[in-house]
Amino acid sequence: MSEKENLFNTLLNSVQSLKSPYTQAITLTHISEQFLKMNDTRSEEFFNQALSIAEQMPNNLEQLDVMQNLIGTAVSAVRATNDIEKIETTINIAKSIYLPYNKFYNLVDILKVFFHLIGKDKTLKLINDDILPAIDEITSKSYRFEILSEIITVLSDMSAAFNDIELINQAQQNLDLIEVSSFYYIALISIAKAFLSYAEANQDQHWISNALESLMKLPEMSSLTTALIDVSITLLRMENEKQAEEIIEKAINYTEQIEESSRQSVALSYIAKAFIKFNEPNKAKQQLLRAVEAAYTITDQKLLNLAWQSIIEALNELSSSDKLSLIQKIVEAIENLSNITLRAFAFNHIITALNNGGQSAKSFFQEILQKAVATVKSIRNKLVRETAAITLADILIEKSSSITDIFLVNSIYELAKEIKDPKNSIYLLMDIAKIEHSLERKKEVKDLLDGTRPFLNLISNVFEHFYALLYVAKGCSELGLQDKFNDLIAELTELVNEIKAPKELAIALTTIAKLLAHSNEKNRAQLLLYQALEVSNELSNELEKMGALTAITEVVLSL
């Protein structure tokens, strides 16, 4: 028996020592999932063990949690194999929980993803014979409408896949069961999209009017606008340019009525993408400038990011010259923003859309980058300044894989000066070290590694210090700096002795083992995993023990 098999058997003994069926079943499911990732047939063996335990558990939330974990693993198996039998197993598990727990999501989601494998007739049978009758028993109106809306989406998607108008008719019948609500409108959009697919597949514009009839019931202008663009693009593909242009003009008019800036910005970006498909770059640029103007008035950071994401996606669909000329106009507008924080984050987003291919583009990239760094450094609020610096540094690090430019590296150094948090500083210094390594600047790499030490010394919490040191060790391994890596592993192993809580100790030992395994130091990893198993066996809390064993499993099977 190999050392790995011996270690795995020791792990299984620990799993079998778990007293609760819940923790045993969850851990066995996790083992099954790991074997599945390795394309190992033992996945099914552990899956069946977990399922057998789950089926004998009383109907409670623990059983539900196990079943939902099993469904997740089964869905992964179906994705990997397209095995019809595995779909049947997955459906049966999902059916076993939706009645006692009102959990229809799992079954409907399975149908949504796999109806093409299950087949039209079987899918319809499940909807009509199993799900719809059971939905009548749901007391919560909102939940009932939500599930009906999901079923309508499945029927609409099936209609497009099987080119079957009867499926749209059934979807419309189910729509009558939903009161006017957000779920009603979601279902309405699904049906409209099905009509569009049917119209295009059969080259019959009669069905376009059915789609429009559905969409015109939408009260929310941004949803209506984006849906109308889909209609317009379908018409363009059907070579009806005149009506396509009429619809897109109507959509542009509707954007004026969208009150929320983030929704308006996203809708305008969507229209811009349509104009690019229409081969109308100037009109696309006009709508994108409107999208940027709308974005300037968004105060919520999450919504602002979503708006810019849509703008950047549309920008990237333009030709290089159109994109560059538009970005120049956007930059002019950014520089006129009075709010310096908004200006900094706007520059950050624009940097993501830029590259430095060609001399003029390179000069422009450097010019914008210089402005972006200067704007970040001029933010007065320390916390906001640090956040903006980290965001821009992350963007530049990602770009460094395709842009090997000393100017870019120097800009990251400038941003690093604005970051005071020790952990963030360590992460950034290691990221810069990887770039310097790719540029073959050995002295700079050494200086950066040495530069992490003062920040490490500032972290007093043992566990936080451990993880920061681990990040440096991982970086050294990736850079092939074996001597430095060995020194840091020795330091980590010594630091582990200061961790007294068994749960944290088991996690720390497993984490070092994982790093050693990735660095092809399997023997040293195995020794630490035995220690981690010993510590986890001492845990009295079953959930903590389960957590430790699932983490150990992942490393053991990766050896």
Side-chain angles (χ1 to χ4, degrees), residues 380-406:
R380 289 182 183 176
N381 182 298
K382 287 181 183 178
L383 185 61
V384 176
R385 183 168 69 244
E386 188 161 343
T387 304
I390 291 167
T391 304
L392 182 52
D394 286 343
I395 292 166
L396 297 180
I397 286 159
E398 196 171 320
K399 284 205 166 288
S400 68
S401 60
S402 57
I403 299 174
T404 49
D405 190 324
I406 297 299

Side-chain angles (χ1 to χ4, degrees), residues 342-397:
L342 279 178
R343 203 188 313 159
F345 282 102
F347 270 130
N348 287 0
H349 285 292
I350 282 297
I351 292 287
T352 63
L354 286 168
N355 57 51
N356 68 344
Q359 192 55 48
S360 61
K362 184 175 182 178
S363 302
F364 185 60
F365 176 77
Q366 291 184 352
E367 181 191 331
I368 302 305
L369 182 51
Q370 201 169 8
K371 288 177 179 178
V373 172
T375 306
V376 167
K377 293 179 80 167
S378 61
I379 297 172
R380 289 182 183 176
N381 182 298
K382 287 181 183 178
L383 185 61
V384 176
R385 183 168 69 244
E386 188 161 343
T387 304
I390 291 167
T391 304
L392 182 52
D394 286 343
I395 292 166
L396 297 180
I397 286 159

Side-chain angles (χ1 to χ4, degrees), residues 109-388:
D109 280 348
I110 291 163
L111 299 185
K112 197 186 288 184
V113 177
F114 297 119
F115 67 76
H116 58 290
L117 287 174
I118 301 165
K120 181 171 71 172
D121 294 339
K122 276 189 179 178
T123 305
L124 279 174
K125 192 173 188 316
L126 280 162
I127 289 171
N128 294 328
D129 296 357
D130 290 297
I131 302 176
L132 287 175
I135 284 175
D136 292 337
E137 305 300 317
I138 300 175
T139 52
S140 163
K141 260 188 181 183
S142 175
Y143 184 48
R144 188 163 70 247
F145 296 157
E146 189 172 358
I147 298 301
L148 280 166
S149 173
E150 291 289 309
I151 288 168
I152 288 166
T153 299
V154 174
L155 289 166
S156 301
D157 290 349
M158 283 172 65
S159 164
F162 298 116
N163 193 27
D164 188 340
I165 194 66
E166 284 306 314
L167 291 167
I168 303 181
N169 292 337
Q170 186 174 340
Q172 285 186 305
Q173 287 163 20
N174 286 312
L175 185 66
D176 295 338
L177 302 174
I178 306 176
E179 289 177 9
V180 173
S181 59
S182 61
F183 302 120
Y184 178 87
Y185 295 121
I186 290 165
L188 203 63
I189 291 169
S190 296
I191 289 170
K193 285 182 177 177
F195 274 127
L196 291 179
S197 296
Y198 192 78
E200 188 175 355
N202 296 280
Q203 288 297 301
D204 186 346
Q205 292 188 26
H206 160 74
W207 301 105
I208 297 280
S209 58
N210 292 58
L212 284 169
E213 188 182 330
S214 296
L215 293 174
M216 295 316 290
K217 294 175 186 174
L218 293 172
E220 203 279 305
M221 287 296 122
S222 63
S223 300
L224 176 57
T225 303
T226 50
L228 286 174
I229 295 303
D230 290 335
V231 175
S232 180
I233 291 167
T234 303
L235 284 163
L236 183 68
R237 286 201 293 260
M238 292 174 73
E239 298 181 357
N240 186 341
E241 288 186 29
K242 184 174 181 295
Q243 197 180 352
E245 285 174 9
E246 286 171 7
I247 298 287
I248 205 168
E249 288 302 325
K250 190 179 283 190
I252 291 168
N253 291 335
Y254 282 134
T255 60
E256 301 287 354
Q257 298 173 45
I258 302 172
E259 292 178 5
E260 193 182 319
S261 299
S262 60
R263 287 177 183 270
Q264 187 186 45
S265 182
V266 170
L268 288 163
S269 297
Y270 203 66
I271 291 171
K273 282 185 182 180
F275 274 127
I276 294 166
K277 286 185 173 69
F278 277 56
N279 198 24
E280 298 262 20
N282 290 333
K283 287 183 178 179
K285 283 152 64 174
Q286 189 182 351
Q287 298 309 315
L288 272 176
L289 279 174
R290 287 184 66 206
V292 171
E293 283 171 19
Y296 293 152
T297 60
I298 303 168
T299 51
D300 182 281
Q301 193 61 50
K302 191 176 176 183
L303 293 175
L304 181 62
N305 287 341
L306 285 171
W308 271 106
Q309 190 179 320
S310 296
I311 292 164
I312 300 302
E313 281 174 10
L315 266 173
N316 287 333
E317 288 187 20
L318 287 166
S319 69
S320 297
S321 58
D322 282 326
K323 178 177 167 180
L324 202 60
S325 67
L326 181 58
I327 287 176
Q328 284 170 330
K329 286 183 181 176
I330 293 171
V331 168
E332 286 170 18
I334 290 172
E335 289 182 301
N336 290 326
L337 284 172
S338 56
N339 184 316
I340 197 160
T341 306
L342 279 178
R343 203 188 313 159
F345 282 102
F347 270 130
N348 287 0
H349 285 292
I350 282 297
I351 292 287
T352 63
L354 286 168
N355 57 51
N356 68 344
Q359 192 55 48
S360 61
K362 184 175 182 178
S363 302
F364 185 60
F365 176 77
Q366 291 184 352
E367 181 191 331
I368 302 305
L369 182 51
Q370 201 169 8
K371 288 177 179 178
V373 172
T375 306
V376 167
K377 293 179 80 167
S378 61
I379 297 172
R380 289 182 183 176
N381 182 298
K382 287 181 183 178
L383 185 61
V384 176
R385 183 168 69 244
E386 188 161 343
T387 304

